[in-house]
Amino acid sequence: MNATAPETTTPEAPRPPPKSARRRAREFALQGLYQWRVGGADEADIAAHLPELDGFAKADREFCLATIHGVLTRHEELSALIAAYIDRPFRELSPIEACILLIGTCELAHNPEIPYRVIINEAIELAKAFGGTDGHKYVNGVLDKVAADLRPTEVQAARTRA
């Protein structure tokens, strides 16, 4: 009798849901702003380089480029909004966390159609994926305070419902 051992299969880990075009846009905006902050790239260089990156076609191109433009044209204003809630000078923040905070603050200030909780969650996800070990906690804490300043009515209404 020739017995064979039963095949064992290990269940596959569940796949994460596919990334939305908007999330991909934020990831590419982060990459572009990192090039600006670390390497001194300007907006034209970033806009020319990003479409060459793998996966950019699946991103919301207009949102990505608008985000980069918004941050680059308002970075001093945005940095000042953030500075009130950080524990060191803005220039001393990690480039990744700094860029994520700029993106989140820009969206909070200039994209009222996006709920503040969505903006903060997206920033947290960026920090988890690209930032330091606890960078997402820092980003969450800072953006929560910035949101309370920039969108007091929306934040208060959400806190009342919770």
Side-chain angles (χ1 to χ4, degrees):
M1 181 167 187
N2 188 1
T4 59
E7 281 189 41
T8 58
T9 59
T10 56
E12 287 186 32
R15 290 185 179 165
K19 292 179 187 175
S20 70
R22 188 72 54 100
R23 175 159 299 168
R24 290 174 191 270
R26 287 182 179 97
E27 290 177 353
F28 284 109
L30 176 59
Q31 289 180 45
L33 291 170
Y34 184 86
Q35 291 172 352
W36 162 72
R37 183 148 168 105
V38 173
D42 65 15
E43 187 173 354
D45 290 337
I46 294 166
H49 175 71
L50 286 179
E52 298 171 0
L53 297 178
D54 189 40
F56 187 76
K58 294 181 181 178
D60 181 336
R61 176 187 170 86
E62 288 185 32
F63 183 80
C64 176
L65 297 178
T67 299
I68 291 168
H69 178 76
V71 169
L72 293 181
T73 58
R74 299 179 181 105
H75 67 90
E76 290 177 14
E77 165 199 335
L78 300 170
S79 299
L81 289 168
I82 295 164
Y85 303 109
I86 56 178
D87 57 355
R88 55 192 170 269
F90 187 80
R91 69 182 178 284
E92 293 179 14
L93 292 177
S94 119
I96 294 292
E97 275 84 16
C99 291
I100 293 169
L101 288 170
L102 288 168
I103 291 168
T105 302
C106 187
E107 285 190 53
L108 287 166
H110 301 287
N111 294 89
E113 73 282 3
I114 304 172
Y116 88 96
R117 286 183 170 177
V118 170
I119 294 168
I120 293 174
N121 184 63
E122 290 293 319
I124 290 167
E125 293 303 318
L126 283 174
K128 284 180 180 178
F130 300 103
T133 304
D134 287 331
H136 67 283
K137 294 176 186 176
Y138 191 76
V139 165
N140 183 27
V142 173
L143 287 181
D144 200 42
K145 292 171 186 166
V146 171
D149 267 0
L150 294 177
R151 297 187 181 189
T153 305
E154 183 183 358
V155 171
Q156 187 58 41
R159 289 180 180 161
T160 302
R161 286 190 299 265

